[in-house]
Amino acid sequence: MLDRYRDKRDASRTPEPFGEPRPGSDDSFVIHEHHARSLHWDLRLERAGVLASWAIPKGLPPDPKVNHLAVHTEDHPMEYATFEGEIPQGEYGGGAMSIWDRGTYETEKWTDREVKIVLHGERASGRFVLFQTDGKNWMIHRMDPATRDPLPPAEPMLAMRRSRAPKDLSRYAAEFAWGGRRTIATIDGGRTNVKLLRPLAERFGSRAAMLDGELVTLQGVEVFVCFDVLYDDGVSLVGEPYTRRRELLEELDVSGPRWLTAPAWAGEFAAVRQAAREQRLPGVVLKRLDSPYVPGESKHWLHLPS
Ligand code: MN
């Protein structure tokens, strides 16, 4: 049962455990987050003395409408249920392995082609079914209702062009217009549609998010300048006012080699426009502090030339 596990590994090179099958009550599970060459989550179910395992590239599906690929992998020894560590590069599964969740589970059905379970973990809970498709691949399907809000449409809110600033400036925040390529980044299951944000997406792990911003070339390097957050950690934020989204964005601390959070100044305008001129930026965008995020052109966002 563990022959395949041992064949793939060299005990002198990997810190992973090597144990014998250890029959128990077939009711414990662990999910590892595995930052191998490609990020994935490993679902392991105690069964007949070993951990039956599936590698799930996008993690457990949060929504019954979307099934996720689950690659059936070799059985692991029971000791693996508490294993966390760094598998050396070049070894099988090289990369960081950490426990994403563990707990108990119930078996509703277990055949060679279908496994129906109820997970009772801290983060993973509910009914799931793993089933083999025509080939050797498996899929995992959530049988319970979705545990998170659906992602909002990836359609940007656009500013109207104005030549003069409104009178009630205290109701707006001023940001630079960057003159870059408007981009909404979706981060889901550790993946993203924006190539240069891949390391950031991997750091988000299983936390889904949508960030609005622009791809801008600064000092010869293309960076993602982020100025809004539309979704985070299972919650849609498009109905929240600008001020709340801005707070949440700042808490996310989007700052790294290829991504940064755009500055914003509530109640300011003249000084921001002056700075935009000095930095040869095309203009200033005034955003109403109390406005939700609405796709398309909106009178709540005003673009003024610098
Ligand atoms: Mn793995």
Side-chain angles (χ1 to χ4, degrees):
M1 256 177 146
L2 293 169
D3 295 352
R4 279 185 66 212
Y5 178 90
R6 292 196 195 97
D7 286 350
K8 287 173 182 289
R9 291 168 176 81
D10 180 342
S12 68
R13 291 177 184 268
T14 178
E16 295 166 284
F18 288 80
E20 295 301 321
R22 222 176 56 200
S25 39
D26 290 353
D27 65 351
S28 67
F29 82 90
V30 61
I31 297 173
H32 282 104
E33 179 167 317
H34 189 181
H35 291 259
R37 198 172 38 194
S38 178
L39 171 65
H40 61 272
W41 285 264
D42 290 296
L43 169 64
R44 311 188 196 282
L45 304 171
E46 178 193 1
R47 181 79 180 174
V50 295
L51 294 169
S53 298
W54 287 264
I56 308 175
K58 292 180 78 180
L60 289 182
D63 190 326
K65 292 201 283 286
V66 184
N67 296 340
H68 285 177
L69 175 68
V71 180
H72 201 183
T73 57
E74 74 280 11
D75 292 341
H76 281 46
M78 281 306 300
E79 288 78 2
Y80 219 96
T82 52
F83 173 72
E84 294 190 278
E86 187 78 31
I87 301 169
Q89 294 305 327
E91 296 307 309
Y92 177 70
M97 180 84 78
S98 59
I99 293 175
W100 184 80
D101 197 13
R102 54 186 308 215
T104 59
Y105 82 98
E106 298 160 55
T107 307
E108 293 189 346
K109 183 176 182 182
W110 194 298
T111 71
D112 288 347
R113 301 180 62 87
E114 190 182 13
V115 172
K116 233 183 239 190
I117 51 168
V118 188
L119 298 178
H120 303 284
E122 296 265 315
R123 305 172 82 174
S125 67
R127 296 177 72 214
F128 293 88
V129 58
L130 291 140
F131 58 95
Q132 199 170 14
T133 56
D134 29 331
K136 68 184 188 60
N137 275 333
W138 289 62
M139 304 290 283
I140 181 166
H141 167 75
R142 169 185 290 278
M143 298 169 77
D144 285 339
T147 52
R148 64 179 207 188
D149 293 344
L151 293 166
E155 289 169 34
M157 181 163 174
L158 303 169
M160 295 180 111
R161 289 184 177 272
R162 287 286 154 83
S163 50
R164 245 186 272 165
K167 289 199 179 73
D168 51 351
L169 277 169
S170 64
R171 303 177 74 173
Y172 293 82
E175 297 180 8
F176 294 134
W178 296 88
R181 184 149 48 90
R182 188 68 178 275
T183 302
I184 292 184
T186 301
I187 295 171
D188 197 6
R191 270 77 179 163
T192 178
N193 57 317
V194 182
K195 205 173 170 184
L196 65 82
L197 294 180
R198 279 183 190 163
L200 179 70
E202 184 148 332
R203 209 181 305 156
F204 269 70
S206 58
R207 179 174 179 160
M210 278 176 90
L211 304 172
D212 186 7
E214 287 181 47
L215 290 170
V216 184
T217 302
L218 298 176
Q219 292 159 342
V221 180
E222 190 176 48
V223 297
F224 180 70
V225 178
C226 182
F227 49 66
D228 215 324
V229 56
L230 315 188
Y231 189 95
D232 183 36
D233 209 8
V235 180
S236 175
L237 303 173
V238 293
E240 298 288 336
Y242 171 89
T243 41
R244 179 70 188 137
R245 300 197 312 277
R246 180 74 205 179
E247 271 172 29
L248 293 168
L249 176 63
E250 286 174 13
E251 280 170 22
L252 276 181
D253 193 24
V254 179
S255 71
R258 305 288 299 274
W259 48 89
L260 54 94
T261 302
W265 298 270
E268 300 275 352
F269 173 61
V272 181
R273 184 165 62 177
Q274 185 56 37
R277 281 179 186 149
E278 284 164 9
Q279 293 178 50
R280 298 174 184 279
L281 292 170
V284 173
V285 181
L286 293 172
K287 299 181 176 176
R288 272 283 291 253
L289 298 171
D290 57 359
S291 169
Y293 191 94
V294 185
E297 199 174 66
S298 167
K299 64 182 193 311
H300 295 314
W301 283 16
L302 305 171
H303 180 288
L304 291 117
S306 52

